[in-house]
Amino acid sequence: MTSSLLWSVDVYGKVYSLSTASGRWERTEDSLLELKRVAAGKRCSWGIGCDHHVYLNINPGVEPIRYREETYENQRWNPVDGFTDVLLPTDRWPWSDVTGMMSLPLHSFLLPSLSWEWEGDWYVDQSCGGDPAETGGWEYAVDFPANFSHEKKWNSCVRRRRWFRYRRYKARGEWAKIPLDHPKRPPLPLSDISCGGWEMSDQPGRQHFLWGVSQQGQVWFREGIQPLVPEGSCWEEVEVPRELSQLSAGPGDLLWALLWDGQLLVRTGITLDSPTGTSWVVVDAPGKEGTAIHVAVGVGVVWVVTKDYKVWFRRGVNSHNPCGSGWISVGGEMMMVDVGLNDQVWGVSEDRGLYFRMGVTPSEPSGRGWIPILAQWGSSREVAPPSDGPEFGGQVTEASQGSVLGCEASDLDTFPTDVSSSPSSATITGLGDTPKPRIPKVTSDSFISSLVSDRERTPAPHTSSPEDAPVNHQEAAPVPSPASPGAAGPEVPWSNVDLEGAEGAQGAQVEGPSLATAGATGPPSSVATYPLGLEPTKGVGEEEGPVWAWITGGGCDVDSSSQISWLSPTGPLTSSLSLTPVQSATWREQEQHRDHSSKRPLERSASVWMRKGSMRWWRDWKPQRWVDVGVALEQSTNSNGWRDSIFFIYYTQYDEKKYLHVFVSEVTALVPVLRDSQHAFAVYTAQRTKQRWPLILAAPTEKDMNDWVSLLVECCCEARGIRGPLSRQALWSVTSKGDVMVHEPSPCLEAPVHTLACDLMFWRQVPGHLRCVECNSLGVVWGVGCDGTAWVYSGRCGESGDQPSQGTTDSVQTQTDVRSVYVYENQRWNPMTGYTDKGLPTDRPMWSDESGLKECTKTNTHPPSLQWTWVTEWTIDNGVPGGTDKEGWQYAADFPVTFHGHKTMKDFVRRRRWARKCQIRVIGPWQQIPPIPLSDITILPCLAQSCIEQVPVWALSDKGDVLCRLGVTPLKPQGTSWLHIGTDQPFKSISIGGANQVWAIARDGAVFYRGSVSAQNPAGECWYHIPSPAKQALKQLSVGRTSVYAVDENGNLWYRQGLTPSYPQGSAWELISNNVTKVSVGPLDQVWIIADRAPGFPSEPPSTVCHRLGVGPMQPKGQSWDYGIGGGWEHISVRGNASEGPRAPPPQAAFPASPHTPRAPLPASPHTPCAPLPASPHTPRAPLPATPHTPRAPLPASPHIPSNPLPRPESQVNGTAMSL
């Protein structure tokens, strides 16, 4: 790795550089150079001098800069003198540019500044149009302007030739002044400067943007900075709404500015064509006070220091989103920070030490913590560490005659007359109690003037009082230490400090009780003096190192993996360092005890983690198409461990950078979808669920999609506090793609009031591929694949401490599923050739899907997704509904009408279905239950507190046979064996509800009820026929605790009325709704459906999850539908959700009840008489008359309702059906 430089400035304006190769601080060769600010770039560095000039330093490693000046010599021919420089009044200048509009004589070319030198004299370009010419470099033409050529013709009346002269930039590696603008007015004295923009061009690093802030708060932009013109050409003022104090430009198109009141501004619209941007946007500063004092910008990061020296990181900053999305507080206290190359962060801490943010990577831009920059300083082999006090190195000496400032009366008044009487020296408590001494900041004033100003602000000294004296008057024994005057001797290294900070510096001596002793033994007039270090023999702070004020890492090419000695968090700290005792003790304490209460900026607080990638996004608006986008997941962690994540999508529209963002805590589902053979998935939020328009993203590969989906789901679960195994009361569902989705219910999901909206439900994916899934509240979950294979969930359900099910493991297994893909061959009959594949222009394609709207041939038809693979070839399918002939054809009068399996005289079109099987292999927590293929499955729903030895599980085989699974328990959900239940005809849907009520639907739409099913008799005894709704054939039903719902072939939802414990068959069917494909009734009689489409969204894909609201004991049919997530939902099961919601508080009575009369829980029904019922021959009289204090006996059963509504038939053989 090539060496690069880190620039820093101390409080006296001295400029230092630290090379990544040498590891030693080097001061600039110009000892008189004093800079206030330095801004480094990739090729050069800029600075503001104390003389208000702007300085430029070109990196020595940059290729030599040679600039070619050129001018054209123009002549015209006349009959007397031939070609001369005497031109017509309308001609161009005798010496001009290539256009002839500007006069450029040779003597007008001057060097821009003293940093340039001429390489030679002017010479003529001997080539013409790039080709060598023997005409002395002349080009001829008829007139100005015209096309010039090297050939002289008879009508050539004008000619020109080009002169060259090169100048070279000679000040590489030196700080050189850039020239003032002439004739333009130069900017006012600048107080801040920043460079950036070198990564915006096609050749990164060759073009820089330079910004400056004047002392009046104006913003200036340096124009004309090019690789061959590093100094630029002129300053251009940029309008700002208010006065600025500081700004920072990133390597890209980011520019942030700081107002005097602490607010932040962001410049938008910065491009290569418009480098100054278009507008300003206000961004609130972080922190409680909302006052920032410094801002630093990188490629995609923004760091801010607030008034309390806290460091903040801006989330979500990108060229598409320059304002970001939020603030994150990170550890440490800094006075300023700077973002350099690779978004590495450097800082000057409150103790005036230099620090580096370790662990900054593209995936973790906030880093992990601060480490000091410990490099060797000057010609010595000592390391310049961060000062433990602001500028005090730990050495205090008595007054001496060698002081630079004389001990006059005005000087002595600045200090207490006795060090021992000083409160700071009397009470030494440690580093944390040290007051913050003042340090002279870098200004245009000299150091002496700053000392004078500090001295004028020093309060008048007060005489020592008994209260000021320490409590313990016993003189402590001197402790030998480098801070002791006796040990230091006359050659004590001096520190450069402010006189006003003397008391604070004395208080910083934690281990120095000898200070009080030395002050007490000295003369009353003795004071601690501090040489200024202005001697010519030694630089300022040469022994102790500089007291830093500014740092810039824009030219230092390091990253988290760089092996640099002075950035090692452990190496230099354990080597021999020139540290004061206070510093050494502090470092040892941090290394050994990791005291997080310390204010040192080494502690780790909040952090930001980020992952970026490239995807394709299905654009929401027309024309809808796939767009290449960049994505980023940003996760922040605060000091308490709480995490928040944001998912960004960056795209470009009409050359304008835009972005979308989704808060991960608001994501409700991440669902893989089928879209144009892409590895696509949909991102749902509550708002997008209501709009019926999720974000559709496609990853380059299947692995990338799975990684992104897994990562986003993990962040969603963490944001919602979902941990551990799945809940036993979870809602299970299956998408049309076969993915299994789960929702962890909350008590408010079925609450009578304040019910959780369906669009707020969070669904997460469980590995596996199924066609349908059923569950109950005991953790028993069964599923059926597309090929009819039965699977039982082998993962853990319940609390994290629950033991896994017997016979199952938490380890995932390979799950396979097989499905068929169909295409239809269509033909039309004509009198000449019979049935052929030549149809009418209005006909459907001769090879199409079932609807006939899409052309599908056997060649271009692929498996549903890239996860599927073909396992068979194309074959004719004779199992089409409606029947086929021997060749598999179905006939009809025209397209599209109902097809039948035999040909008639009026059938002019025919079709047949071709099928091909494909297989998918996934890894999931599912155990196969061989060997019978199933078409439907149902599990007994029960309450959460239920205790059942064996869980009833009923199923239908693919042939329509009814099966009962034996031996199913919560610890052994797979059961032991199947029990066959005889039927007269094949069934297509079955469901078991409360009290072991088993309902089923035959393939012809007839409804049956299984009688006498109990725990002792799990198979029941016989089937009872239940009349279907008039002229309707049912296809699917679901039984709850006390209710039965069914769906017919036309998508209508029916409710069975009159169900009671004594009459479980009910009395009649009542229509509830239409537009329904599936229904699921839970153990609380809650009703959920899969609706065909959401009202008002005809373009949405079919199948939407819906919840019936208002379902209760007094309103079993509910009131309305709440539409949730939709578009491709195939199946849902709520039969495991037995968590009852909080009940609504009872209504308050209009009048208070009497204390002697108990209030009835419910008002009396108008059909219930208040007086006791009179005795009748059919109703036995109650043994005791009812009294107001005695509860009334329940009403007897009506005489016309038999107590046993299911008479036992004569034949008890299974499969015998009786009509009711």
Side-chain angles (χ1 to χ4, degrees):
M1 181 182 65
T2 58
S3 62
S4 55
L5 297 180
L6 175 69
W7 294 94
S8 187
V9 181
D10 66 1
V11 294
Y12 308 103
K14 301 299 185 292
V15 184
Y16 301 88
S17 63
L18 177 62
S19 174
T20 57
S22 64
R24 180 185 300 274
W25 285 107
E26 300 289 346
R27 184 177 167 182
T28 55
E29 297 180 358
D30 188 0
S31 59
L32 300 179
L33 176 67
E34 293 183 358
L35 299 181
K36 297 186 292 184
R37 298 287 171 88
V38 174
K42 201 166 186 177
R43 300 179 69 250
C44 58
S45 303
W46 301 78
I48 303 176
C50 295
D51 55 357
H52 305 307
H53 280 277
V54 178
Y55 288 79
L56 171 64
N57 188 313
I58 304 294
N59 296 343
V62 176
E63 63 275 6
I65 300 177
R66 299 174 68 246
Y67 187 83
R68 185 180 70 182
E69 301 281 9
E70 65 177 29
T71 183
Y72 284 83
E73 180 184 2
N74 306 305
Q75 293 184 355
R76 176 175 286 276
W77 181 87
N78 64 69
V80 177
D81 300 326
F83 284 100
T84 63
D85 55 358
V86 179
L87 305 178
L88 299 178
T90 57
D91 285 341
R92 58 182 61 186
W93 301 94
W95 294 87
S96 69
D97 60 352
V98 65
T99 63
M101 304 298 296
M102 183 183 299
S103 177
L104 294 177
L106 296 179
H107 60 81
S108 65
F109 289 89
L110 303 177
L111 293 175
S113 65
L114 298 177
S115 302
W116 295 85
E117 64 180 1
W118 295 110
E119 286 190 348
D121 204 352
W122 290 95
Y123 65 93
V124 177
D125 181 14
Q126 298 293 337
S127 64
C128 179
D131 299 329
E134 298 179 356
T135 59
W138 291 104
E139 296 178 311
Y140 298 88
V142 177
D143 201 353
F144 299 116
N147 294 326
F148 288 84
S149 65
H150 63 279
E151 182 179 357
K152 180 181 178 182
K153 301 180 181 179
W154 64 271
N155 57 352
S156 299
C157 299
V158 296
R159 69 177 182 179
R160 72 176 185 182
R161 62 180 175 181
R162 183 169 55 179
W163 291 75
F164 286 156
R165 192 178 189 184
Y166 283 90
R167 52 183 169 93
R168 180 175 57 88
Y169 190 84
K170 65 177 181 178
R172 288 190 304 162
E174 301 176 3
W175 289 96
K177 295 182 181 179
I178 65 172
L180 299 177
D181 297 344
H182 295 291
K184 293 186 177 181
R185 178 177 61 91
L188 297 174
L190 299 180
S191 61
D192 188 51
I193 197 169
S194 179
C195 66
W198 59 80
E199 292 189 0
M200 294 181 60
S201 61
D202 297 336
Q203 299 178 349
R206 298 186 60 84
Q207 185 173 0
H208 286 66
F209 294 163
L210 183 63
W211 300 78
V213 178
S214 66
Q215 294 182 356
Q216 283 71 28
Q218 300 171 335
V219 177
W220 296 83
F221 177 78
R222 186 68 176 176
E223 290 186 342
I225 298 179
Q226 299 292 337
L228 297 180
V229 189
E231 298 170 330
S233 57
C234 62
W235 290 98
E236 176 187 358
E237 186 177 359
V238 179
E239 295 184 0
V240 289
R242 286 178 290 173
E243 292 81 5
L244 267 63
S245 62
Q246 186 247 333
L247 55 73
S248 178
D253 54 359
L254 296 182
L255 177 68
W256 282 55
L258 179 64
L259 298 173
W260 279 107
D261 58 0
Q263 294 299 313
L264 297 166
L265 293 179
V266 180
R267 190 65 172 175
T268 60
I270 297 178
T271 61
L272 288 175
D273 299 330
S274 177
T276 57
T278 57
S279 61
W280 294 97
V281 179
V282 179
V283 176
D284 295 333
K288 297 180 180 179
E289 299 181 359
T291 303
I293 62 173
H294 188 84
V295 62
V297 177
V299 176
V301 296
V302 174
W303 294 71
V304 165
V305 179
T306 51
K307 189 177 181 180
D308 54 357
Y309 302 124
K310 299 297 183 183
V311 184
W312 298 78
F313 177 84
R314 185 68 175 177
R315 300 179 53 189
V317 176
N318 189 278
S319 60
H320 298 258
N321 180 23
C323 298
S325 58
W327 295 104
I328 296 296
S329 176
V330 299
E333 295 184 358
M334 295 288 171
M335 300 190 66
M336 62 85 59
V337 293
D338 184 77
V339 181
L341 298 179
N342 307 317
D343 282 343
Q344 301 300 309
V345 185
W346 315 80
V348 178
S349 68
E350 192 180 2
D351 60 4
R352 296 294 180 171
L354 300 183
Y355 288 85
F356 173 74
R357 187 73 176 175
M358 66 177 181
V360 174
T361 61
S363 62
E364 194 171 358
S366 63
R368 302 176 182 176
W370 298 98
I371 59 175
I373 300 175
L374 301 175
Q376 295 180 355
W377 148 248
S379 58
S380 66
R381 304 187 64 86
E382 297 179 350
V383 177
S387 304
D388 198 70
E391 74 281 357
F392 189 69
Q395 285 78 9
V396 180
T397 62
E398 300 179 2
S400 62
Q401 299 297 327
S403 301
V404 175
L405 298 181
C407 297
E408 300 176 359
S410 58
D411 298 328
L412 296 178
D413 291 341
T414 308
F415 298 93
T417 57
D418 193 354
V419 178
S420 62
S421 63
S422 173
S424 61
S425 61
T427 57
I428 301 175
T429 57
L431 183 62
D433 300 328
T434 303
K436 299 177 180 179
R438 184 181 179 276
I439 298 176
K441 296 184 178 179
V442 180
T443 61
S444 58
D445 301 328
S446 64
F447 177 54
I448 300 298
S449 62
S450 68
L451 293 179
V452 175
S453 63
D454 295 340
R455 189 169 54 195
E456 292 175 354
R457 289 191 296 270
T458 306
H462 62 277
T463 58
S464 177
S465 62
E467 290 77 12
D468 296 334
V471 177
N472 186 8
H473 296 277
Q474 185 177 359
E475 184 174 345
V479 179
S481 66
S484 175
E491 297 295 331
V492 173
W494 302 96
S495 298
N496 299 297
V497 299
D498 190 349
L499 299 180
E500 190 178 358
E503 289 185 3
Q506 295 171 9
Q509 300 300 314
V510 180
E511 302 293 339
S514 61
L515 294 180
T517 305
T521 57
S525 60
S526 64
V527 296
T529 59
Y530 306 87
L532 299 181
L534 302 180
E535 294 84 0
T537 57
K538 292 185 179 181
V540 175
E542 185 173 350
E543 287 79 5
E544 287 298 325
V547 181
W548 303 111
W550 193 265
I551 189 173
T552 176
C556 188
D557 189 6
V558 300
D559 54 28
S560 59
S561 61
S562 299
Q563 301 295 330
I564 299 178
S565 59
W566 44 270
L567 285 183
S568 175
T570 56
L573 294 178
T574 59
S575 60
S576 59
L577 303 178
S578 178
L579 296 175
T580 63
V582 177
Q583 292 172 334
S584 301
T586 304
W587 284 114
R588 285 195 301 269
E589 183 179 1
Q590 288 189 351
E591 290 297 321
Q592 297 175 3
H593 304 288
R594 299 293 183 182
D595 185 7
H596 296 282
S597 62
S598 174
K599 292 185 178 181
R600 301 290 293 191
L602 290 176
E603 57 180 310
R604 179 182 179 184
S605 181
S607 62
V608 175
W609 178 88
M610 180 180 294
R611 177 182 175 180
K612 299 180 180 179
S614 300
M615 290 190 187
R616 303 188 72 191
W617 167 53
W618 183 253
R619 194 168 62 183
D620 294 0
W621 57 86
K622 295 182 179 179
Q624 297 176 359
R625 60 184 180 87
W626 289 105
V627 179
D628 293 332
V629 297
V631 295
L633 175 62
E634 183 183 278
Q635 185 181 74
S636 63
T637 306
N638 61 10
S639 57
N640 297 327
W642 183 80
R643 295 183 180 181
D644 184 22
S645 304
I646 305 178
F647 186 63
F648 293 93
I649 301 174
Y650 303 107
Y651 66 97
T652 303
Q653 182 184 7
Y654 303 120
D655 296 333
E656 183 180 358
K657 296 180 179 180
K658 297 184 177 182
Y659 75 99
L660 302 172
H661 74 280
V662 177
F663 292 97
V664 174
S665 59
E666 299 177 358
V667 173
T668 57
L670 294 155
V671 187
V673 295
L674 300 175
R675 186 66 64 92
D676 301 336
S677 300
Q678 301 276 349
H679 303 282
F681 63 96
V683 181
Y684 285 88
T685 61
Q687 181 180 3
R688 289 188 169 270
T689 300
K690 294 178 181 178
Q691 298 173 352
R692 305 291 155 187
W693 199 260
L695 286 172
I696 307 295
L697 297 171
T701 63
E702 180 184 352
K703 182 179 182 301
D704 291 338
M705 185 195 72
N706 294 334
D707 291 345
W708 274 105
V709 171
S710 300
L711 180 60
L712 291 172
V713 169
E714 182 181 353
C715 294
C716 291
C717 294
E718 189 173 9
R720 297 175 179 268
I722 301 176
R723 298 179 179 88
L726 298 177
S727 171
R728 292 182 174 181
Q729 305 186 28
L731 277 69
W732 292 73
S733 63
V734 179
T735 66
S736 57
K737 187 175 176 289
D739 297 307
V740 183
M741 310 297 294
V742 175
H743 169 69
E744 302 282 351
S746 59
C748 61
L749 184 61
E750 301 295 342
V753 293
H754 307 295
T755 307
L756 178 67
C758 277
D759 50 37
L760 297 177
M761 298 172 60
F762 172 67
W763 297 89
R764 56 171 169 160
Q765 185 178 1
V766 174
H769 189 276
L770 297 172
R771 179 177 54 85
C772 66
V773 64
E774 288 294 335
C775 60
N776 76 343
S777 59
L778 299 180
V780 179
V781 182
W782 280 59
V784 179
C786 296
D787 57 355
T789 304
W791 301 87
V792 63
Y793 182 69
S794 59
R796 293 195 300 180
C797 291
E799 301 297 332
S800 59
D802 292 351
Q803 294 183 357
S805 303
Q806 231 179 17
T808 62
T809 60
D810 287 337
S811 60
V812 294
Q813 304 176 26
T814 301
Q815 182 185 11
T816 61
D817 201 1
V818 179
R819 62 174 297 183
S820 297
V821 178
Y822 303 105
V823 297
Y824 286 81
E825 180 184 3
N826 307 304
Q827 292 185 356
R828 176 174 286 276
W829 181 86
N830 65 71
M832 301 297 296
T833 58
Y835 287 101
T836 63
D837 56 358
K838 303 296 182 181
L840 299 177
T842 57
D843 282 344
R844 60 180 60 186
M846 292 298 99
W847 288 88
S848 67
D849 59 354
E850 184 178 6
S851 65
L853 300 177
K854 181 180 179 181
E855 183 178 7
C856 298
T857 64
K858 292 190 293 183
T859 304
N860 62 10
T861 301
H862 303 285
S865 69
L866 300 178
Q867 295 177 297
W868 295 81
T869 57
W870 295 117
V871 292
T872 63
E873 296 296 331
W874 290 102
T875 58
I876 297 175
D877 184 13
N878 293 322
V880 184
T884 64
D885 61 7
K886 295 181 179 180
E887 296 180 354
W889 292 103
Q890 290 183 308
Y891 299 88
D894 201 355
F895 299 118
V897 292
T898 303
F899 286 84
H900 45 267
H902 58 278
K903 184 180 182 305
T904 63
M905 294 294 295
K906 298 180 180 180
D907 294 333
F908 296 97
V909 296
R910 68 177 182 179
R911 72 174 186 181
R912 63 179 172 183
R913 187 169 71 177
W914 292 77
R916 190 178 186 182
K917 293 184 178 181
C918 54
Q919 186 183 62
I920 186 175
R921 290 180 177 270
V922 295
I923 304 297
W926 299 93
Q927 180 181 356
Q928 184 177 357
I929 306 297
I932 304 176
L934 304 180
S935 62
D936 197 11
I937 191 77
T938 181
I939 306 174
L940 175 70
C942 52
L943 299 179
Q945 63 272 17
S946 301
C947 182
I948 303 177
E949 294 182 1
Q950 292 194 4
V951 180
V953 176
W954 290 63
L956 298 179
S957 68
D958 58 345
K959 297 180 181 180
D961 298 330
V962 180
L963 305 173
C964 178
R965 189 69 174 179
L966 303 179
V968 176
T969 63
L971 297 179
K972 192 176 182 181
Q974 69 272 23
T976 57
S977 61
W978 288 108
L979 175 63
H980 182 267
I981 309 298
T983 58
D984 291 340
Q985 55 180 320
F987 285 4
K988 62 180 179 181
S989 178
I990 192 169
S991 180
I992 183 173
N996 291 287
Q997 304 177 66
V998 179
W999 291 62
I1001 300 177
R1003 290 186 177 178
D1004 60 357
V1007 184
F1008 291 89
Y1009 173 82
R1010 186 71 175 178
S1012 303
V1013 178
S1014 63
Q1016 294 75 22
N1017 185 19
E1021 295 186 358
C1022 62
W1023 294 101
Y1024 294 89
H1025 180 263
I1026 307 295
S1028 301
K1031 300 180 181 180
Q1032 300 293 335
L1034 302 181
K1035 67 175 184 179
Q1036 187 257 336
L1037 56 76
S1038 182
V1039 184
R1041 181 167 58 179
T1042 61
S1043 60
V1044 176
Y1045 282 81
V1047 181
D1048 62 18
E1049 297 289 349
N1050 297 322
N1052 299 316
L1053 180 65
W1054 299 86
Y1055 168 73
R1056 187 65 177 176
Q1057 294 179 340
L1059 267 70
T1060 62
S1062 59
Y1063 195 68
Q1065 302 93 331
S1067 58
W1069 293 99
E1070 180 181 355
L1071 180 64
I1072 301 299
S1073 176
N1074 56 5
N1075 191 38
V1076 180
T1077 60
K1078 291 287 182 65
V1079 63
S1080 179
V1081 183
L1084 305 177
D1085 285 335
Q1086 64 267 40
V1087 181
W1088 292 70
I1089 65 169
I1090 299 294
D1092 188 21
R1093 293 184 184 274
F1097 298 93
S1099 60
E1100 183 192 21
S1103 304
T1104 302
V1105 175
C1106 297
H1107 181 205
R1108 188 69 173 174
L1109 301 179
V1111 176
M1114 306 301 296
Q1115 187 75 19
K1117 296 177 291 185
Q1119 299 174 351
S1120 61
W1121 294 108
D1122 180 19
Y1123 289 84
I1125 192 171
W1129 241 250
E1130 188 73 19
H1131 180 87
I1132 188 171
S1133 176
V1134 299
R1135 301 170 67 81
N1137 182 20
S1139 58
E1140 299 187 27
R1143 298 183 180 273
Q1148 299 293 333
F1151 299 96
S1154 174
H1156 304 287
T1157 305
R1159 187 184 305 173
L1162 293 175
S1165 174
H1167 303 287
T1168 303
C1170 297
L1173 294 178
S1176 63
H1178 304 286
T1179 304
R1181 186 187 300 272
L1184 292 176
T1187 63
H1189 303 284
T1190 304
R1192 193 188 317 172
L1195 295 178
S1198 177
H1200 65 274
I1201 300 177
S1203 59
N1204 185 9
L1206 299 177
R1208 300 174 67 88
E1210 296 181 1
S1211 174
Q1212 299 292 337
V1213 180
N1214 289 337
T1216 304
M1218 297 185 63
S1219 178
L1220 298 179

